Each structure stands twice: as C-alpha cells, then as structure tokens.
Amino acid sequence: MFSHRRYLMCRPTYFAVEYAINPWMDPTAPYDTELAVRQWTALRQVYTDLGHTVDEIDPIPGLPDMVFAANGATVVDGTVLAVQFLNPERADEGPAYANWFRQTGFDVVEAKAVNEGEGDILLAGDLLLAGTGFRTSHAAHLQAQEALRRPVVSLQLVDPSFYHLDTALCVLDATTVAYLPDAFTPGSQAVLRRLFPNAILAGADDAAVLGLNAVSDGRNVVLPIQAGNFAQRLADRGFMPIGVDMSELRKAGGGPKCCTLEIRTGS
Ligand code: ARG
C-alpha cells in the first residue's frame, strides 16, 4: 500500500570514479559528471512527482561517492544510527551525514562498528534485514537491533558485485521483497524463503544492471530502466514500475536506491 515517504539525497556535483572499492568501479573508464547530475535530478523529480518529500544534504568536494545517500545512516522511528565506512576513501561522509541529522533536529547514535547504513540495513515490516560479508559488520547488526529496537535478521552476502544488501534485495512492502538468490549463502537463502515465501526472485539479467537497487513506496517502484524483466514481474504483482536511467552512477556501483536514504520519523 502506498505511503508518503521522506527521502534524503545528495546531488552528485563532485561525482567521479577515482578509486575502485567494488567491482563496478573502473577508475580508467570515462564517466560524465554532468550526465550523472541530470540523471540524479530526474530521479529526484520522480519522487516529488509521486508526492514524496526530498531533503538535500550539501555535497562535499573530494567525496565522489557522497551521492550514495543510502550509506549515510539508518533512520527508524526518528532514531538515526550513524555510519562508519569500511573504506578510508568514504570515511568523511559519516560525520557529514551525522551532522546533517543533528542540525535537522534528530537524535544521532554513533556507530560502534563498520556500518554502511541503509546500503546494508533495510526495514521490512517490523524486521531489519541486515547484510554482512563485504561492508557492514555483524557487530553493527547487534548495535542496529539495540538502537533501532527492531529484530535484526542477519543475511550473508557472497558475490562481490552485490556487496551491499540493497544491491541484492529490495523491500517492496511490509511483507514482500525481491532478491537475487545467488547473492546469498545457502543458509541465508533458506531464511529468506522462510520469511518471504512470496518473494520475487530476480535473474542474472536484472542483476547485471543493478535492477534490485530499487525504491518502493509500497506501490510505485523506482528501478533502473534497463531492468526490463524485473519491471514486468513487478507489474504482474500489482506494483507500478517506474524506470530511471542511472547509467553514470552505475559506473560507481550505484542505482536509484543507493541515492536515496529514507527518513522514517513515525513510530
Ligand atoms: N562506490 C560506492 C561504494 O562502493 C557505491 C555505494 C552504493 N551504495 C549502495 N547503497 N549500495 O561504496
């Protein structure tokens, strides 16, 4: 069921691919920052046209991945769990996002372990689904459960191309998710089957274009336009797929969801 959302986004003014911290990134390949800004602006427009609220955090020169706002925090019931990045290249983004939340009037809990925010910690109904294996540590899952007061289900990621949970799994509504089974260990696949027997299972073609990196408001699902099969599966299940082209940001390993941090204020 559709519900109004509040999102935080960061304009990719200083977007670049200068280092490689995931297999999508090739610092020797060309990229187009202006095109990235246009594609990002179109994504922002989709959200506001759907009636959602978009807040913006100022981008900081020298932090080319700061556009990936999903990694900036995890926000549930108005509590902000701050982040701690694994890679030094992104370390300064953590305090920048935490400060934005403090200045906006939120209580911020400092991260005690490597935690890459909503990249790896996704709210699905009453559960927090938490990925580990590449970035966010298991210790951060325990802290998320304490700080955000929701049961955490830890899921182990195994494919370096799907290094954050939000590249391998998308929460569509309180009881429905879509995921790429091969991105998880056999044990975590079994947990997902048990929790979400009606899940949409994505295939390699959709995964190859980061199709699962999608944002749902319970009805509309904003996804990479190249993920045609996934869009069809969503439509078959009564969701409204909305394709956006994020070709430039994909060169850094990101899609629409990576650019979008949900600010959940209600309880
Ligand atoms: N280049 C960034 C990194 O590797 C991309 C982050 C994508 N964000 C996400 N929520 N999956 O950290």
Side-chain angles (χ1 to χ4, degrees):
M1 208 178 52
F2 170 89
S3 61
H4 171 268
R5 309 289 167 127
R6 180 178 175 190
Y7 297 129
L8 178 61
M9 298 180 72
C10 180
R11 188 174 295 272
T13 312
Y14 307 108
F15 174 71
V17 184
E18 293 169 346
Y19 48 77
I21 55 172
N22 70 56
W24 304 84
M25 302 178 85
D26 176 0
T28 66
Y31 59 87
D32 182 340
T33 303
E34 276 175 31
L35 179 56
V37 171
R38 285 202 297 279
Q39 292 176 337
W40 178 92
T41 304
L43 173 65
R44 187 190 195 290
Q45 186 71 40
V46 167
Y47 293 143
T48 53
D49 286 350
L50 288 170
H52 301 308
T53 301
V54 177
D55 287 294
E56 279 188 50
I57 180 173
D58 288 334
I60 297 175
L63 295 177
D65 274 337
M66 193 172 168
V67 57
F68 300 119
N71 299 124
T74 310
V75 188
V76 177
D77 300 338
T79 298
V80 177
L81 177 57
V83 300
Q84 186 180 309
F85 283 91
L86 174 70
N87 298 286
E89 292 89 340
R90 298 195 66 186
D92 290 346
E93 296 178 42
Y97 278 94
N99 285 339
W100 185 88
F101 278 103
R102 271 189 216 100
Q103 284 162 10
T104 312
F106 288 86
D107 287 331
V108 176
V109 180
E110 290 298 335
K112 289 194 224 145
V114 171
N115 175 335
E116 298 202 354
E118 238 188 19
D120 274 321
I121 304 174
L122 297 171
L123 185 67
D126 287 331
L127 297 177
L128 289 169
L129 304 180
T132 189
F134 296 100
R135 303 288 182 88
T136 298
S137 63
H138 191 236
H141 295 184
L142 297 180
Q143 190 189 8
Q145 176 162 284
E146 293 303 310
L148 303 174
R149 294 156 192 267
R150 302 291 180 103
V152 166
V153 176
S154 289
L155 300 168
Q156 293 208 45
L157 297 164
V158 289
D159 183 336
S161 291
F162 307 103
Y163 54 94
H164 277 139
L165 183 63
D166 72 357
T167 64
L169 184 145
C170 172
V171 177
L172 297 167
D173 63 25
T175 56
T176 317
V177 302
Y179 63 95
L180 178 68
D182 289 348
F184 298 90
T185 56
S188 292
Q189 290 181 34
V191 169
L192 287 169
R193 280 197 300 273
R194 184 173 286 267
L195 286 175
F196 304 104
N198 300 321
I200 297 178
L201 303 184
D205 49 349
D206 290 321
V209 293
L210 272 178
L212 285 159
N213 196 250
V215 178
S216 176
D217 61 20
R219 186 177 117 83
N220 306 288
V221 182
V222 182
L223 78 169
I225 190 134
Q226 295 84 359
N229 280 339
F230 184 33
Q232 186 57 53
R233 310 279 299 283
L234 288 165
D236 293 345
R237 296 282 284 266
F239 293 97
M240 176 70 77
I242 301 175
V244 290
D245 190 1
M246 306 300 289
S247 63
E248 290 312 299
L249 295 175
R250 194 162 76 227
K251 295 174 181 171
K257 168 61 203 154
C258 297
C259 296
T260 312
L261 175 59
E262 185 164 351
I263 303 176
R264 301 180 187 83
T265 45
S267 53

